[in-house]
Amino acid sequence: MTREESSKVTRRSTRFSSSVTSDNPEPNPSHPPTVADLTFGEESITLDSLLSSFPGRRSQILDLIRLIGPLDSPALPVILYGDASTGKTSVVLQVFTHLNRPFVYSSCRTCCTPRLLFESILNQLLLHSKCSSNGYASAKRCDKPSDFVNLLKEALSSVVETLNSTKLERKLMGKMVYLIVDHVDLIKEWDKGEMILQFLFSLSSVLKMPQLGIILISGLPPDVYYSNMGYTDPLPVYFPEYSEEELRQIFLKNQVNKKLYSAFLDVALRPFCRVTRRVEELSTSLSSLFRQYCEPLDDLSISPNEDLKRRLYSNLRPHITSCLNEVFRVSGRPHDGDTRGERRQKASYSSEKGDELEILDFHMSTSAKYLLIAAFLASRNPATLDASMFDSTGGMDNRKRKRKASEKSMEKKEMAEQEAVMKGPGSFPLERLLAIFQCIASVGDSSLGEEEDEEGEEEATGYDKESNNMMSDILLQVSSLCDANFMIKSGSCPLEGSIRYRSMVSEDLSLKVARSLSFPLSKYLYRR
């Protein structure tokens, strides 16, 4: 096989390459697509190499290979589930490299509608590539699940017949085709998503073709998808979060000077593991910190002794706090040059007229600061006023005409304030805390630059897209705030049956945290 043909075959080197069809290159007339393109096109890797490539995933890899089964053996549907960045997609793709089995991969992140998902699968099975010569059209138009079943049967039958009769250039392992659908949890957000999910889970029973294996990849556990449709439940394989030692093995794997990087991880990895254990977030933060760590060194191949480790840590220590704060940005927006965020910051500094903001004497991530403010507001404000406090524009409408208070009303207000002080902070459920947090976090930046409303609307949608991925991190921050006694659990409500929380921070500390974020806390406080 020529080099050009080899590069054509290895089109599955990334997880999205098979599902993204808009940027496909023009087909090569000298190498028309064949059934051989349904594999990775690379040399099959050994099991030992596969296991060493994924630290902490030995049991998951062996379970997946066992569930896929021997050559040409019918397999029940399998679902891989776990949090983001736990290696689900990478593991399943490399397992198929090891087994050298033909498969079709589609992601519900790029194929964001049922039609795109169905046509992506059919295009790969029919060896069809979108290009200018065919008007970037799919091989078959498919909008309905019933049409997809019929077209899928025809395409599978054609592929299986080719696998049985054609002598391929490379030996294909087996006469089965596997369908891998990634990010199936995103289907719940689609129009009629529940129906599509039930269809995917019952697809094996509907087709009744033993030559098709189905593997689903989800960020949610299988319990979320259970229904009374009567289909066979997929066999689950759980991918837990990486432990600190497993993360250390992952980051050390491709390092040239392992001793130097191990010394760096000794001081940098543990603080970040308390915040997040997602590999891509840790990789971004640790790569910038490692450059700071190595600045005093002229020779990066040196093996550091204890004295050098102390000097390198002293050089790194001032940068850890700022880098920790960047890991939990409430909204990840790019900043190029003099960006909108910088212009807002300059505007806020100029509005302070040189007054220095109070500096917190302890480190806290941006997300935790917003949670602390949300807890303070939930304890301070009556729950009945949340709708008027936190409207779509963020905060109360201060344009309402204020009446002149009488002496009697002033006395009532003072008595109410004294009574509130005697009662102390009120308790609140977790749902209310998260609702207030989402409101103040999503509009916190917009309060600093109201002159740029159009850009603010675009950024609000970006926050909504990230909110699902952040939820597990936010719950971790709530637990951390309770451990630090910024919040306490005040028991459970007998009517609601849920745990209630209470803020333990003073108004002065809340104002100091709000100033560090340039957040207008007084706008959200209810004054009796």
Side-chain angles (χ1 to χ4, degrees):
M1 184 181 295
T2 65
R3 181 174 300 181
E4 182 179 357
E5 293 173 341
S6 177
S7 63
K8 173 70 178 180
V9 170
T10 59
R11 59 185 177 87
R12 295 178 182 270
S13 57
T14 61
R15 65 172 70 179
F16 298 123
S17 58
S18 58
S19 58
V20 178
T21 57
S22 59
D23 297 328
N24 283 349
E26 295 294 321
N28 185 2
S30 63
H31 178 73
T34 65
V35 179
D37 293 338
L38 293 179
T39 61
F40 256 104
E42 302 173 353
E43 292 296 330
S44 178
I45 59 177
T46 63
L47 181 59
D48 292 337
S49 177
L50 175 62
L51 295 175
S52 62
S53 300
F54 295 96
R57 292 293 175 257
R58 178 183 180 87
S59 62
Q60 286 77 16
I61 292 173
L62 295 178
D63 286 345
L64 181 58
I65 294 176
R66 175 179 56 83
L67 294 176
I68 292 175
L71 195 63
D72 295 335
S73 62
L76 292 173
V78 179
I79 181 169
L80 313 181
Y81 70 99
D83 291 335
S85 190
T86 50
K88 302 182 294 295
T89 304
S90 301
V91 164
V92 70
L93 294 181
Q94 289 302 309
V95 164
F96 275 91
T97 303
H98 163 66
L99 298 175
N100 200 17
R101 309 272 180 93
F103 70 94
V104 170
Y105 173 89
S106 289
S107 170
C108 296
R109 187 178 296 278
T110 53
C111 302
C112 54
T113 64
R115 177 183 172 184
L116 290 177
L117 178 64
F118 297 156
E119 292 183 357
S120 171
I121 296 171
L122 293 174
N123 286 340
Q124 296 176 69
L125 288 174
L126 297 173
L127 308 176
H128 174 81
S129 179
K130 293 183 179 181
C131 59
S132 58
S133 60
N134 54 38
Y136 298 98
S138 298
K140 300 286 185 179
R141 181 183 176 89
C142 183
D143 295 303
K144 300 178 181 179
S146 57
D147 296 336
F148 177 68
V149 171
N150 296 328
L151 294 174
L152 184 60
K153 281 185 177 180
E154 296 176 4
L156 282 174
S157 300
S158 176
V159 172
V160 171
E161 183 180 355
T162 304
L163 288 172
N164 289 325
S165 60
T166 305
K167 184 177 181 181
L168 301 174
E169 297 176 357
R170 290 180 296 105
K171 182 181 178 182
L172 287 178
M173 302 298 292
K175 307 301 180 183
M176 287 185 61
V177 179
Y178 296 85
L179 173 59
I180 304 173
V181 183
D182 202 352
H183 301 292
V184 294
D185 49 298
L186 298 181
I187 300 179
K188 295 176 69 69
E189 303 173 6
W190 293 1
D191 184 27
K192 300 181 180 179
E194 293 295 335
M195 182 187 70
I196 301 299
L197 280 172
Q198 294 173 4
F199 168 71
L200 280 179
F201 277 80
S202 60
L203 183 60
S204 178
S205 303
V206 172
L207 284 176
K208 297 180 180 179
M209 294 184 67
Q211 297 87 356
L212 177 68
I214 299 177
I215 298 177
L216 307 176
I217 305 176
S218 170
L220 298 176
D223 300 349
V224 178
Y225 309 108
Y226 285 161
S227 66
N228 297 323
M229 293 296 293
Y231 55 77
T232 303
D233 294 331
L235 303 175
V237 178
Y238 175 57
F239 282 68
E241 284 189 337
Y242 289 109
S243 65
E244 184 178 339
E245 181 58 32
E246 291 167 352
L247 289 171
R248 173 183 289 272
Q249 297 177 25
I250 291 173
F251 290 118
L252 280 174
K253 186 173 59 174
N254 297 322
Q255 296 299 324
V256 177
N257 190 343
K258 295 185 183 298
K259 291 184 178 180
L260 178 62
Y261 202 80
S262 178
F264 163 71
L265 292 178
D266 288 339
V267 298
L269 183 58
R270 179 163 294 180
F272 283 88
C273 283
R274 296 169 181 168
V275 178
T276 180
R277 301 203 173 191
R278 296 183 178 178
V279 177
E280 70 274 7
E281 293 179 351
L282 289 172
S283 178
T284 302
S285 301
L286 294 179
S287 60
S288 60
L289 275 181
F290 185 62
R291 289 192 293 269
Q292 300 286 345
Y293 184 78
C294 297
E295 276 187 354
L297 296 177
D298 296 328
D299 183 11
L300 296 182
S301 61
I302 190 173
S303 296
N305 53 29
E306 293 300 323
D307 181 58
L308 181 58
K309 289 179 181 179
R310 285 191 292 268
R311 288 195 296 111
L312 293 176
Y313 174 67
S314 300
N315 178 69
L316 177 69
R317 187 174 181 179
H319 304 283
I320 294 180
T321 300
S322 60
C323 207
L324 272 172
N325 197 37
E326 290 296 320
V327 174
F328 256 134
R329 299 186 67 87
V330 174
S331 54
R333 298 161 184 153
H335 299 279
D336 297 323
D338 190 9
T339 59
R340 179 172 177 251
E342 293 175 351
R343 292 195 300 269
R344 284 178 175 172
Q345 193 173 20
K346 293 175 183 178
S348 64
Y349 288 161
S350 61
S351 65
E352 293 292 337
K353 297 181 180 179
D355 294 339
E356 295 184 359
L357 298 177
E358 295 185 63
I359 301 176
L360 291 174
D361 54 358
F362 57 88
H363 170 74
M364 182 177 288
S365 66
T366 303
S367 179
K369 289 178 181 178
Y370 276 110
L371 273 175
L372 192 67
I373 295 173
F376 174 74
L377 291 174
S379 287
R380 180 70 177 267
N381 296 344
T384 55
L385 296 181
D386 283 352
S388 59
M389 285 282 190
F390 308 104
D391 56 10
S392 59
T393 59
M396 296 184 65
D397 190 353
N398 294 324
R399 296 174 296 179
K400 294 181 179 179
R401 182 169 56 89
K402 297 182 180 179
R403 299 178 181 176
K404 186 176 181 180
S406 62
E407 293 183 1
K408 190 174 182 179
S409 63
M410 292 293 292
E411 291 178 358
K412 289 183 178 180
K413 182 178 179 181
E414 290 178 1
M415 293 178 61
E417 290 178 352
Q418 292 177 2
E419 185 180 356
V421 171
M422 295 296 294
K423 288 182 178 179
S427 61
F428 51 88
L430 178 63
E431 292 79 5
R432 186 180 174 215
L433 171 67
L434 297 180
I436 296 176
F437 166 79
Q438 184 176 15
C439 176
I440 64 176
S442 60
V443 301
D445 289 342
S446 62
S447 63
L448 301 177
E450 296 179 354
E451 71 281 358
E452 300 180 12
D453 293 335
E454 294 182 358
E455 294 181 15
E457 292 176 0
E458 295 177 0
E459 293 185 0
T461 58
Y463 174 81
D464 293 337
K465 292 178 181 177
E466 295 181 2
S467 60
N468 290 335
N469 294 333
M470 288 178 54
M471 187 52 60
S472 60
D473 298 331
I474 297 304
L475 296 178
L476 178 63
Q477 287 292 305
V478 171
S479 177
S480 300
L481 290 177
C482 291
D483 293 340
N485 289 327
F486 287 114
M487 292 166 49
I488 62 171
K489 295 181 180 179
S490 60
S492 59
C493 177
L495 297 178
E496 298 176 357
S498 60
I499 298 176
R500 298 180 69 87
Y501 297 85
R502 191 187 305 272
S503 173
M504 300 302 294
V505 299
S506 63
E507 184 174 350
D508 292 338
L509 178 58
S510 299
L511 289 171
K512 185 184 293 187
V513 172
R515 291 192 190 103
S516 69
L517 295 170
S518 299
F519 178 79
L521 178 61
S522 58
K523 182 179 178 181
Y524 295 86
L525 275 177
Y526 171 68
R527 302 292 184 180
R528 295 177 173 83

